[in-house]
Amino acid sequence: MLLLLLILNFVGINYALSGERSIENTSFPIATNGQPFPWNKLRLPGWILPVHYDLVIHPNLTSLIFMGSVKIEVTVVHETSTIVLHSKHLEIISAAIEEENGKTQADLKQMKVLEYPPHEQIAFLYAEPLQVDKKYFLSINYIANLSDGFYGFYKSTYKTKDGQTKLLASTHFEPTSARMAFPCFDEPSFKANYTIKIQRDGQHSALSNMPKVKTLKLDNNLFEDHFAESVKMSTYLVAFIVSDFQSVTGTTSSGIKVSVYVTPEKLNQARYALEAAIKILEFYEQYFGIYYPLPKQDLVAVPDFQSGAMENWGLTTYRETSLLYDPETSSASDKLWVTMVIGHELAHQWFGNLVTMEWWNDIWLNEGFARYMEFISVDATYPELQVNDYLLGTCFAAMGRDSMNSSRPISSKAENPTQIKEMFDTVSYDKGACILHMLRNFLTEEVFQNGIIHYLKKHSYSNAKNNDLWTSLANTCSEEDFTSGKFCYSKSQVAKNAHSYYVDEHFDIAEIMNTWTLQKGIPLITVKQNHKRIKIRQERFLKGIFPHDPQWASMQIGFLWHVPLTYITSHSKSIGRHLLKNHSDTIELEEDVNWVKFNVDMNGYYIVHYEGNGWDTIIKLLTQNHTLFSYKDRASLIHNAFQLVSAGKLSLDRALDLTQYLQHESSNIVLLQGLGYLAVIYRMMERRNISDVTESLKRYILQHFKLVIDRQTWSDEGSISDRMLRSALLELACDLQYPPCVQKANELFSKWMESSGNLTNIPSDVLETVYSVGSKTANGWNFLLERYKVSMSGAEQRKICSALASCKDDAKLTRLLELAMEGHIIKTQDLSSVIYSVSTNPAGQHLAWKFVKKNWSKLLEKFPLGSFSIRMIIIGSTAQFSSKQELEEVKLFFESVKEEVSELRAPQIAVENIEKNIKWLERNLVTLTKWILENLK
């Protein structure tokens, strides 16, 4: 009866707060003990707030069990007899609550502990109500297994050079897995301080968010490390690691101790990361005008890691290939990747950690900003890496995803853990970064930087929503600025500043940016020029769905963007600007012009189509003098043309005509863009076994780009751009069986094999190409697999894995997939990328898909639904399909597992990709065949 009264009491409070009409209409779930669980929502109630966690963790790396105790200081907002919080796979041993004076309010005999696993929640029901504004201390002792996967507090292993397996334990809590390590209020708005103690044996050391302040020696060769109290933060940023790692250490100019921790035999690969982290951390302190608030920053390379990296405050964790740089086996692109990932995670120390999104629907405030700050920070600290060139690729990737009907708004509803995990996608990261870039270009750098400084200062140690960002960008003045005399902008000054760029425009930043964050998709701007009059109109850009399709019109309803347009003309002395708010508009120029080009330097997030003879004029200009346009403009013209082909707006022969000037192109980025499209089309023909077109296109590419291919040296010389072009061109040339390329690669591979892999003079930029050519023989494939087993370089192992997946032998590809599934030689973390690599191989595309179908249940045991790995497996294993039979197979399979994938967007994306490929072939194959024959020499 007491329990029933407590539940009714709780329900009454619930309904008073939530505005429901009556308690009779409410049904409550049933806890594991068969009793009613007193809360029926996924989100926690808000009447108990955590203030401080005192956490003690003891992982046993022999039994793979950990013991934990947590004491949570809470404040009561509304009187209640129930505390609901998160717990997953934790066995509660005992629990008690104390008042501030130390009086025990209840223990396990006097209170009920209920568990409801579907919501990953536990509830403590007390004999007496907890009083408003009083402090209480909830103490819980529990036990759990170290997780087998990549979330929560999980075990990881690595092998030494002599083959010994070493164990460690590490955490990964984002987004909803802190509850797997300790009972907690596992939502981003429940910020608190943490004091953490780790018990470990003498051969290991422990790390956490804060520096270690002391170590106590316990019985049985156990030590207890005490860490300083943390700043106020969300649960998903808590972290701790127990390992035998070693480190290299340095200090920033402001006194922050920076350390990079790795397995002992890889310590020599940690030095570049240390240098980069110090430089970038110093840059952010200056750029944000806010000192990094912790005394140390550790970067840890974890041997088993599902994603790229994680921004735990003061203890960022990384996949080894995202942190370690080996001069002998890491290519130019590997170096760029490591630098950018470090830039991303350190940006999070401000965007995400200091200021956190209020809920996961706005995760882009964390990830979009961090992705964009990669480019700003690396450009400032390592200008030689030419990182801004690759922002184009980021935005092209975002546009590719966003032009599908299966896309989603940047800010989207996400409630359960599966939906939340799926939010960590191209839309949040890449589109988020690209609309920020557009906004920065619109507002000017000065206004943008001042706005985000204001945003960070105003919401420090707190949470924010979309509108908080727009408010800060519209009004960068704070009380502190007025009293200290600092420079800032008021709302009217921001408008005035941008007003000088957008003549006669009146705008509201929130109104503009809501059109980019609250609706999905990307606008297509259609331009029709007539002397000095330019007519413009906007519509939703859709690939694979054409205006004559029945569903096209309905997919356009309700879509309207406020688009900050930029343009240059044949008579431009400056960039023209116009804010397009309506479906159509007209721009009147001061004089007649011969041509116009919109979206200058690809600073805007939109596709442009030139009606009438617009594309003919551009093609002619590129042929006559391509330097009329900047290299970014040339790359975006190529991108737009081929995207318009997929939308049925431009014929394929016109897009191909545009690429013909490329034999005179001097920009590596533009060359890669144009060649990339030709390579994609070639591989589609190869996979469909359309042999005549495949052979003709191969001949065309090798003829048309022979001079630039032959110019490539098998070396690591030149700028980062030169080196990345070399890697891509030689990989393509050897894939196309260009004799000089294959011969040179075979020669290098043979010498390397003869030296038993000890020869280290294969340039790192061509290593993957050499390995791929070498893998085509049985001996070469087997030798590479043996090399993979003993390699101490993650960068080399990634290149070997890619090469092994490129062979044409079904039995070897099957073995590779099985090795990745077993998880011993090839780690489980790499399983999804192995499946994807095999699926991109024409000889392996159906093999990979059959493997996914056969092992679906096992894959779900290894990776949670909504995770990056599952999305990559679903989308990656089907992305190459382009026939109606393949489409039906894929649909049937997802129908058969409908209950499991019902909440996922990934199957919709996979199906839509195949439909798009089918339509592309139906529409363009005849044109392609004809064009190639006409243009072959």
Side-chain angles (χ1 to χ4, degrees), residues 882-899:
S882 57
S883 73
K884 290 179 178 176
Q885 181 185 345
E886 289 164 334
L887 176 63
E888 287 311 307
E889 278 183 30
V890 171
K891 282 183 173 178
L892 280 171
F893 174 71
F894 288 131
E895 184 63 30
S896 73
V897 293
K898 184 166 65 176
E899 285 188 21

Side-chain angles (χ1 to χ4, degrees), residues 245 260-263 299-303 316-320 323-324:
F245 287 179
V260 179
Y261 286 84
V262 298
T263 59
L299 300 85
V300 186
V302 181
T316 53
T317 49
Y318 301 75
R319 185 181 280 233
E320 289 186 331
L323 187 67
L324 305 186

Side-chain angles (χ1 to χ4, degrees), residues 711-905:
R711 278 203 306 269
Q712 303 309 309
T713 59
W714 294 72
S715 70
D716 286 337
E717 296 167 355
S719 68
I720 183 116
S721 175
D722 292 335
R723 295 175 64 184
M724 291 176 77
L725 177 71
R726 176 184 302 127
S727 295
L729 272 180
L730 292 179
E731 180 186 348
L732 178 60
C734 281
D735 194 32
L736 296 175
Q737 297 297 301
Y738 183 48
C741 184
V742 176
Q743 183 182 333
K744 180 65 175 178
N746 269 323
E747 179 188 316
L748 289 169
F749 188 80
S750 296
K751 286 180 180 176
W752 181 67
M753 266 185 70
E754 287 166 11
S755 73
S756 300
N758 295 319
L759 193 69
T760 57
N761 66 346
I762 301 176
S764 60
D765 290 335
V766 299
L767 207 52
E768 190 165 344
T769 297
V770 170
Y771 287 169
S772 293
V773 171
S775 73
K776 302 303 186 285
T777 67
N779 285 342
W781 198 91
N782 291 328
F783 185 82
L784 280 166
L785 182 59
E786 291 306 310
R787 173 69 181 186
Y788 183 94
K789 295 175 185 177
V790 299
S791 175
M792 286 287 118
S793 164
E796 182 183 34
Q797 285 187 317
R798 185 192 61 76
K799 293 173 177 65
I800 291 173
C801 221
S802 176
L804 294 173
S806 72
C807 85
K808 306 301 180 187
D809 185 314
D810 277 10
K812 287 185 169 54
L813 292 174
T814 300
R815 187 179 176 207
L816 182 67
L817 290 164
E818 288 170 350
L819 287 173
M821 179 62 86
E822 287 167 8
H824 301 306
I825 294 171
I826 298 173
K827 282 182 168 286
T828 301
Q829 67 175 8
D830 298 315
L831 173 56
S832 58
S833 60
V834 168
I835 292 171
Y836 176 71
S837 295
V838 172
S839 75
T840 60
N841 179 348
Q845 58 178 342
H846 292 110
L847 203 66
W849 174 237
K850 286 175 185 172
F851 179 84
V852 170
K853 290 192 293 182
K854 179 183 175 184
N855 294 283
W856 179 250
S857 297
K858 292 179 183 176
L859 292 169
L860 291 187
E861 289 171 11
K862 293 178 181 292
F863 308 112
L865 276 172
S867 66
F868 169 78
S869 293
I870 287 295
R871 296 201 310 270
M872 187 177 184
I873 288 167
I874 290 172
I875 299 168
S877 65
T878 58
Q880 321 305 323
F881 292 162
S882 57
S883 73
K884 290 179 178 176
Q885 181 185 345
E886 289 164 334
L887 176 63
E888 287 311 307
E889 278 183 30
V890 171
K891 282 183 173 178
L892 280 171
F893 174 71
F894 288 131
E895 184 63 30
S896 73
V897 293
K898 184 166 65 176
E899 285 188 21
E900 292 166 348
V901 302
S902 60
E903 291 178 320
L904 297 184
R905 290 189 183 90

